Amino acid sequence: MQTSTKRILTTHAGSLPRPADLLEMIMAKDDGRAVDQKTLQARVKSGVKEIVDKQLELGVDIIDDGEYSKPSFTTYANERLGGFEPDPSTPRKSPWDGTREALSFPDFYAIGHVASRQQRMACTSPVTYTGQAQVQRDIENLKAALNGRKPADVFVPSISPSNVEEWRRNDYYKTQEEYLFAVADAMREEYNAIVAAGFLVQIDDPRLVSYYMVRPDASIADCRKWANVRVEALNHALRDIPREKIRHHTCYGINMGPRVHDMEVKDLIDIILKIKAGAYSFEASNPRHEHEWKVWGNAKLPKDAVLIPGVISHSTVLVEHPELVAERIARFASLVGRERVIAGSDCGFATFAGSKEIHPSIVWAKFEALVKGAKLASKELWKAGGKKKPVKKPAKKTPKKAKSRRR
């Protein structure tokens, strides 16, 4: 994993706005309308080339494919896992229904929040991985888009076992834990395929910290107990992959909302850092979490691990000032050292392909602020070529001769 040895590197959380024509085909397929597969796949390939070019043009250092082949960061797994059937008993509804947020702000969540478009699924037979062709197509599209160019690093997002578990009901396995580990074994194939192709794998894991918000009946202790088992399952899936090839991303899911019920980092940071990862990506710039940067100073960060704090946010349409971005970067550098900080985003900007909360023009403006802010931070953090000023040793004092007491 490339680290910030000469300057602060920039990256983001994965999903990026899709072009209008590609989005239309993705939405049509999602709705069950007829779509020519050859036309769709050709447009995905050209779209990946466009978004790779866009990231490099903007000056982003560590890039991905924008998740252009996926209808969302989590539901794409429906096409890559066997053992599931459509679940008609679970209606398509807003993912916020019944959450602590919706219960506290019912009028706000009653309007302007679209229902989930994706058909919910149920596990009715052994879970298997069937997405070998799809993940290889993603890999080939990304390699073709790079066309010999070498950004600082390249990553491919992949969904965590806990998010597969949460969105797909278990009707087959005797226990929830048995089901969870079966999902982990299946997703392990995708993780290994990404790393074998020469890319970093990013585990998208928002459920790890958002479980508290979606489960009003759960205490902090309940959430910690739940999270420990999910981390164990994730590490089981990652067991064959070197730590330095893994990025872990978690966030709170809610975008334009009050967010007063987000779980606090202090209540879960020790469990997050049990995850076998070389880098940890998390929300750090929205107003509910920006103050938490101090918590990371007391955290027991694994040896050589890197932090990827979000220094631009998906939770506001305001474009961050580069100087503010630089300040956010400097805070984390003061805690863990400049070499262990990569500047990122709080979350993806189109985690569901049809998301319209932040217009693409604003996303690109935020990326420009990210890159400019990283340059400002680098200038400050690597003053005088990054060399440490030598510490001057105090001059030895010549002992004064004792005055004679003779008169």
Side-chain angles (χ1 to χ4, degrees):
M1 184 175 299
Q2 186 64 40
T3 55
S4 302
T5 55
K6 296 181 179 179
R7 60 182 176 84
I8 296 295
L9 299 177
T10 57
T11 188
H12 58 93
S15 61
L16 296 171
R18 282 73 161 175
D21 59 331
L22 174 57
L23 180 59
E24 171 57 31
M25 284 188 277
I26 291 173
M27 302 289 271
K29 181 181 177 182
D30 210 25
D31 290 339
R33 290 179 275 148
V35 176
D36 183 81
Q37 287 299 309
K38 287 186 178 180
T39 302
L40 173 59
Q41 294 307 327
R43 187 62 186 101
V44 169
K45 183 175 182 177
S46 63
V48 171
K49 173 68 166 60
E50 291 165 12
I51 198 59
V52 164
D53 289 346
K54 184 69 175 179
Q55 291 170 85
L56 294 175
E57 173 194 328
L58 290 166
V60 180
D61 297 301
I62 303 170
I63 67 173
D64 77 334
D65 65 353
E67 299 192 76
Y68 270 27
S69 69
K70 302 171 181 175
S72 84
F73 78 100
T74 180
T75 57
Y76 84 93
N78 288 351
E79 296 183 343
R80 302 192 185 188
L81 291 173
F84 295 88
E85 295 180 0
D87 177 18
S89 66
T90 304
R92 301 186 187 195
K93 59 181 181 178
S94 167
W96 318 128
D97 285 1
T99 65
R100 295 175 194 265
E101 288 287 302
L103 293 174
S104 295
F105 302 94
D107 294 339
F108 174 78
Y109 284 96
I111 57 173
H113 293 270
V114 296
S116 173
R117 300 175 56 84
Q118 191 70 30
Q119 172 68 59
R120 291 295 184 107
M121 307 291 282
C123 178
T124 57
S125 60
V127 179
T128 57
Y129 188 76
T130 59
Q132 291 86 354
Q134 290 99 322
V135 71
Q136 286 304 321
R137 189 184 300 123
D138 285 349
I139 289 167
E140 290 166 10
N141 286 344
L142 187 49
K143 286 184 174 181
L146 290 167
N147 192 27
R149 291 176 294 179
K150 296 182 179 180
D153 237 330
V154 182
F155 71 98
V156 176
S158 185
I159 195 64
S160 73
S162 65
N163 280 263
V164 173
E165 172 203 17
E166 194 69 19
W167 285 74
R168 297 158 185 85
R169 195 179 74 243
N170 171 35
D171 284 345
Y172 176 77
Y173 291 92
K174 292 181 180 179
T175 68
Q176 196 66 15
E177 188 168 325
E178 184 183 354
Y179 170 49
L180 171 67
F181 275 80
V183 171
D185 279 325
M187 289 305 301
R188 173 172 169 263
E189 284 200 46
E190 181 162 294
Y191 307 156
N192 285 335
I194 291 168
V195 173
F199 301 130
L200 304 177
V201 61
Q202 175 176 289
I203 305 300
D204 286 334
D205 198 9
R207 188 63 62 177
L208 188 66
V209 294
S210 64
Y211 183 77
Y212 175 78
M213 186 270 292
V214 301
R215 291 294 300 269
D217 59 326
S219 65
I220 294 294
D222 293 334
C223 292
R224 285 179 57 83
K225 182 178 179 180
W226 178 91
N228 264 315
V229 178
R230 273 68 202 170
V231 167
E232 184 182 346
L234 176 56
N235 284 339
H236 174 74
L238 297 171
R239 63 189 181 274
D240 298 325
I241 302 175
R243 180 185 287 270
E244 63 270 18
K245 295 293 184 181
I246 303 165
R247 294 174 24 152
H248 179 266
H249 170 73
T250 192
C251 62
Y252 298 86
I254 275 186
N255 295 346
M256 305 298 186
R259 303 185 56 158
V260 300
H261 295 292
D262 283 358
M263 193 172 198
E264 295 186 64
V265 169
K266 66 182 182 181
D267 292 324
L268 209 65
I269 191 169
D270 58 322
I271 296 175
I272 292 173
L273 293 179
K274 290 179 182 179
I275 295 165
K276 180 191 174 186
Y280 300 90
S281 167
F282 51 92
E283 290 195 42
S285 59
N286 78 69
R288 290 300 302 186
H289 297 283
E290 188 167 4
H291 68 286
E292 293 179 327
W293 68 273
K294 299 173 186 176
V295 177
W296 292 90
N298 296 320
K300 294 181 180 179
L301 199 62
K303 183 181 179 182
D304 298 327
V306 174
L307 297 184
I308 309 178
V311 292
I312 57 172
S313 185
H314 65 302
S315 64
T316 175
V317 294
L318 288 170
V319 177
E320 294 82 355
H321 196 287
E323 290 187 15
L324 175 59
V325 171
E327 287 182 6
R328 288 170 172 165
I329 294 168
R331 291 172 190 164
F332 284 93
S334 71
L335 299 178
V336 299
R338 64 193 181 188
E339 293 83 4
R340 302 180 76 179
V341 177
I342 295 173
S345 61
D346 276 351
C347 187
F349 289 97
T351 50
F352 287 81
S355 173
K356 297 180 180 179
E357 286 190 314
I358 299 187
H359 191 272
S361 62
I362 296 176
V363 175
W364 310 139
K366 282 175 172 283
F367 273 35
E368 288 175 0
L370 169 67
V371 172
K372 289 178 181 177
K375 287 180 179 178
L376 290 174
S378 298
K379 185 177 180 181
E380 183 65 26
L381 294 168
W382 271 270
K383 278 183 178 178
K387 295 180 181 179
K388 293 182 179 179
K389 294 181 180 180
V391 178
K392 291 183 179 180
K393 294 182 179 180
K396 291 183 178 180
K397 293 182 179 180
T398 304
K400 294 181 180 179
K401 291 183 179 180
K403 291 182 180 179
S404 175
R405 294 187 180 182
R406 294 178 182 177
R407 297 285 181 184

